[in-house]
Amino acid sequence: MYGDEELRKASRVLKALSNVVRLKILLMLAETERPLHIEAVARNLGMDYGAVYRHVKVLKEARLLKVYEVGRSRVLSPTNMELVKQFIEHAKAIAK
């Protein structure tokens, strides 16, 4: 059986993965296989920096990525990327 805290953590991750923009951010980081500046992510998505940062905050809280301060900018680095890719594949299979 799962405890309440474990279910809350799982729920946070599932919530973070339930948004198309957040999935695009994670997949972009996976494809480059290197950290990216939030500005570069925003440019690639054609979105405002602030909007991307709000999505990044959700991903960070779910521990799906790390944010590093480099000078005055923020750099993103993915965590558990293989698990995220597997989740997407499983979700696609379920949705068929």
Side-chain angles (χ1 to χ4, degrees), residues 69-81:
E69 302 289 329
V70 178
R72 291 179 22 190
S73 58
R74 294 181 176 99
V75 177
L76 308 177
S77 179
T79 61
N80 301 315
M81 212 52 239

Side-chain angles (χ1 to χ4, degrees), residues 22 52-62 65 67:
R22 291 193 283 269
V52 171
Y53 185 76
R54 286 188 290 279
H55 287 291
V56 164
K57 185 177 176 185
V58 172
L59 292 167
K60 180 182 173 188
E61 289 171 358
L65 59 74
V67 179

Side-chain angles (χ1 to χ4, degrees), residues 25-80:
I25 291 168
L26 289 172
L27 291 172
M28 187 183 309
L29 290 168
E31 289 172 5
T32 62
E33 296 182 359
R34 62 184 175 87
L36 290 174
H37 288 269
I38 292 181
E39 293 99 357
V41 172
R43 252 191 328 272
N44 287 337
L45 293 174
M47 293 179 64
D48 175 71
Y49 177 93
V52 171
Y53 185 76
R54 286 188 290 279
H55 287 291
V56 164
K57 185 177 176 185
V58 172
L59 292 167
K60 180 182 173 188
E61 289 171 358
R63 297 183 178 173
L64 293 168
L65 59 74
K66 292 182 180 180
V67 179
Y68 298 96
E69 302 289 329
V70 178
R72 291 179 22 190
S73 58
R74 294 181 176 99
V75 177
L76 308 177
S77 179
T79 61
N80 301 315

